[in-house]
Amino acid sequence: MLAIIGGSGLTQLSTLEIARREVVRTPYGEPSGALLFGRLRERAVVFLARHGYGHTIPPHLVNYRANLWALKHVKATALISVASVGGIRDDFGPGALVVPHQIIDYTWGRKSTFFEGGDEGVHHIDFTHPYDEPLRQRILAAGMATGEHIVNGAVYAATQGPRLETAAEVDRLERDGAELVGMTGMPEAALAREIGLPYAAINVIANYAAGRGASEKGILFDSIEVVLQDAMVRVRRVLEEVCKS
């Protein structure tokens, strides 16, 4: 069963034929909301809104461990994350879709592992390649099949939030090699790896990062909403195609 976590702009899947909702209790507290079970193009899918269905949970307070544990508990076999990001590269303008291949983690203070010592023990994961390559290729193939251009590969910088970055901070991220900046990619990707859940992401560029492109004088939030509304229609089309494969 494919799991989909939706971020800003994707708090629901309008084409998902919902069969039931389930509130899952976890050892790590409450997930962001009830899990929605249904079918997408005849494939069993479970959906979760990362920030809650009313978009009430900021990035640094998302209970990532509960979310991932719950999805694994209901026997999800793969997970696609959908998240909006800022574009650092010149050609990463609003509306572009990107499937990242690497992560740099700048977050702090988040519960980032299921293994905290004691009875849980200590567990080290290989995180050389943070995204599952076969799942990445399925997304890219779905983009080709639907005629949606998806950029193959980018370095995602995970920042703490909830505020956006300063122009100087984005300069630093670029020097570090980052090409996208978002707030929810970590520890989500690492937790998925810890529990053996193949994980890949579709990043929707909502705006140029601070100091880049049209955002040089500041971020225009009204325009972000318009971009996301259009882009998420295309993302849903890609997800439907993924469910056919």
Side-chain angles (χ1 to χ4, degrees):
M1 177 172 57
L2 177 67
I4 299 170
I5 292 183
S8 298
L10 192 69
T11 57
Q12 60 181 336
L13 276 177
S14 58
T15 51
L16 178 66
E17 299 174 10
I18 299 174
R20 63 186 175 93
R21 302 168 186 261
E22 181 178 341
V23 176
V24 178
R25 308 298 180 188
T26 88
Y28 304 97
E30 298 293 324
S32 295
L35 304 185
L36 304 184
F37 294 83
R39 305 194 75 81
L40 198 61
R41 290 287 181 139
E42 304 305 315
R43 183 185 179 96
V45 168
V46 56
F47 178 81
L48 176 63
R50 181 185 290 113
H51 300 285
Y53 292 98
H55 203 275
T56 57
I57 307 171
H60 66 298
L61 295 181
V62 171
N63 192 337
Y64 295 96
R65 293 196 300 181
N67 288 351
L68 272 293
W69 191 95
L71 293 172
K72 183 71 172 182
H73 178 71
V74 299
K75 301 195 173 7
T77 55
L79 170 58
I80 295 177
S81 159
V82 179
S84 61
V85 298
I88 298 176
R89 262 173 45 179
D90 290 343
D91 58 332
F92 278 6
L97 305 183
V98 184
V99 176
H101 74 292
Q102 277 294 337
I103 295 172
I104 304 175
D105 186 11
Y106 300 92
T107 64
W108 50 270
R110 303 182 181 189
K111 294 289 188 179
S112 59
T113 180
F114 291 108
F115 302 94
E116 296 186 312
D119 293 340
E120 297 167 339
V122 177
H123 180 64
H124 301 286
I125 56 169
D126 178 3
F127 209 49
T128 305
H129 303 289
Y131 298 102
D132 181 75
E133 189 58 27
L135 189 54
R136 288 185 69 256
Q137 292 303 321
R138 280 178 62 189
I139 296 169
L140 293 167
M144 291 186 63
T146 57
E148 295 291 350
H149 176 64
I150 302 179
V151 179
N152 179 8
V155 178
Y156 173 102
T159 58
Q160 181 69 0
R163 68 166 178 84
L164 300 182
E165 301 72 33
T166 68
E169 287 170 334
V170 173
D171 289 342
R172 174 203 173 192
L173 299 180
E174 186 174 38
R175 289 194 298 270
D176 286 351
E179 298 163 296
L180 305 167
V181 56
M183 301 175 189
T184 58
M186 287 293 287
E188 197 172 84
L191 292 168
R193 180 63 54 85
E194 283 191 348
I195 59 176
L197 189 59
Y199 177 94
I202 302 175
N203 287 159
V204 180
I205 298 181
N207 56 279
Y208 281 108
R212 301 294 187 275
S215 72
E216 185 176 354
K217 296 181 180 179
I219 306 295
L220 300 177
F221 289 96
D222 289 344
S223 63
I224 288 176
E225 185 64 29
V226 173
V227 169
L228 288 180
Q229 286 179 0
D230 173 71
M232 291 306 172
V233 172
R234 295 156 51 215
V235 169
R236 292 185 186 99
R237 193 176 301 131
V238 172
L239 291 172
E240 289 176 12
E241 186 65 29
V242 169
C243 288
K244 291 172 60 178
S245 61

